[in-house]
Amino acid sequence: MAKRAEFAGMDLLTAFGGEESSRKEISVGDIQPNPEQPRIFGREEVSDLTESMRRLGLIEPIVVRRAGKKFQIVAGERRYQAAKILGWKSIAAVETDASEDRCYEMALAENEKRKSLNPWEVGRAIQYLRKEKKKTAEEVAKLLGYTERYVKQLSSIARLDQKSVGDLLRSGREASVKNLETLLKKKEGRGGETISPRKVPDRVILDLKSLPSKTKDLFLRDLSTLKKKYGIR
C-alpha cells in the first residue's frame, strides 16, 4: 500500500477513505484556517506561492470541511493565504465529510508530504495524536510512513518549547533532527557533562606465598588476562 504521506491534496480523500463532493468555488470569506494546523513556523511566508498563483492560477484545489456556516481548511492553508493577498473572491475547493480527528491526520499527512514541516512540528503533531487522540506509535508510523523508532524520536524532540526552536531558526541553524536533539539535551542538562576524574584506587598487595604452586600459577595467569582486558597496571 502506498504511504498516505505520498498522496497529493485531492488524493488525501481517497487515502483516508473520506467522501468528497465535486470541486467547487467557495467564497474566500467563508473559509477559516484550522486552529490545530500542525504547521507553526512559516505559515505566513507565501510570497513565492503568491507569485506562482498570480501567473498560473490555482493548480491544486484546497480541501475543506464544513464547520457550521463556514468551511475549515483541511489542506491548503498557504494557498488560501495567497488567494487572500491576491484579492481573490473565491477559491477552488473540495469538501470532505471526514471527522475532525481524521481531518487533522489528513492535514499532517499533507504537510509532511510537501516537507513543509520541520521535525519539531511533526513531533508536536505526533504527541497530539498519541496523547490526546490515543493513537499508538504504530498507528502514527503507518500514517506518516515512518518507523516506530523514528516516531518516538520525533515525539521526544517535541519536548522543546516553541521559543527555543524559534531561537534556533533565527540563529540561522537548520531545525534538523540532529540540531534539535542537541538543543534538547542542552535544555535538559544532558550530554556534554564533565566526567569526574577517576579516583586512583589504593594499591593492593597480595601475599601468595602460602598458596600451592599450581594454584598460584593459575591465579597469576588469570590475573594477567584480567589486567590486559581492563588495562590494569
Side-chain angles (χ1 to χ4, degrees):
M1 178 184 292
K3 297 174 185 176
R4 283 174 173 164
E6 294 173 353
F7 285 92
M10 290 184 69
D11 290 330
L12 286 172
L13 302 174
T14 302
F16 284 83
E19 296 295 330
E20 66 174 81
S21 60
S22 60
R23 171 172 170 162
K24 57 187 176 183
E25 291 285 324
I26 296 179
S27 171
V28 170
D30 290 337
I31 299 173
Q32 57 191 21
N34 182 355
E36 299 296 336
Q37 161 69 255
R39 183 169 185 164
I40 303 297
F41 297 100
R43 292 174 67 174
E44 306 301 325
E45 297 172 6
V46 295
S47 57
D48 56 336
L49 183 57
T50 302
E51 183 56 34
S52 172
M53 286 172 57
R54 189 195 311 277
R55 292 185 296 105
L56 305 174
L58 184 66
I59 297 175
E60 185 180 326
I62 66 174
V63 179
V64 298
R65 66 182 292 269
R66 191 170 289 277
K69 295 181 179 180
K70 299 285 187 178
F71 293 93
Q72 189 176 87
I73 297 172
V74 175
E77 183 176 332
R78 293 181 72 245
R79 280 165 274 165
Y80 158 76
Q81 297 290 356
K84 288 206 308 181
I85 292 173
L86 292 170
W88 289 7
K89 300 300 181 184
S90 64
I91 188 171
V94 173
E95 182 183 350
T96 176
D97 66 352
S99 68
E100 184 177 353
D101 289 354
R102 204 63 165 161
C103 283
Y104 184 85
E105 295 178 17
M106 292 166 68
L108 175 57
E110 197 262 355
N111 274 289
E112 182 58 10
K113 173 191 71 69
R114 297 175 185 277
K115 300 303 177 187
S116 57
L117 301 177
N118 66 47
W120 178 77
E121 291 170 316
V122 179
R124 282 183 77 254
I126 289 172
Q127 268 197 343
Y128 174 77
L129 289 173
R130 295 186 66 189
K131 292 184 177 180
E132 301 299 325
K133 302 304 177 183
K134 310 303 179 186
K135 296 286 184 182
T136 65
E138 181 182 5
E139 289 172 330
V140 178
K142 288 180 179 178
L143 167 67
L144 296 174
Y146 290 160
T147 63
E148 288 185 51
R149 182 178 180 279
Y150 190 53
V151 162
K152 293 176 181 177
Q153 184 179 19
L154 293 179
S155 186
S156 67
I157 287 173
R159 293 201 299 270
L160 284 166
D161 59 278
Q162 184 175 336
K163 182 180 182 302
S164 296
V165 179
D167 289 343
L168 176 73
L169 293 170
R170 283 188 287 274
S171 72
R173 287 177 290 169
E174 180 186 3
S176 64
V177 171
K178 181 179 179 181
N179 286 344
L180 289 167
E181 285 189 325
T182 300
L183 179 60
L184 179 63
K185 289 178 182 179
K186 183 178 180 181
K187 295 282 290 185
E188 296 185 345
R190 298 184 290 113
E193 298 90 348
T194 302
I195 300 176
S196 300
R198 182 190 301 175
K199 181 180 178 181
V200 179
D202 296 331
R203 181 180 295 275
V204 178
I205 299 176
L206 299 175
D207 185 358
L208 306 179
K209 293 179 181 178
S210 60
L211 292 177
S213 178
K214 185 176 181 180
T215 302
K216 182 170 68 173
D217 289 343
L218 288 173
F219 175 81
L220 290 174
R221 186 180 66 185
D222 291 341
L223 179 61
S224 177
T225 300
L226 290 171
K227 287 170 66 176
K228 290 179 181 179
K229 183 176 181 180
Y230 295 106
I232 301 173
R233 295 181 180 180

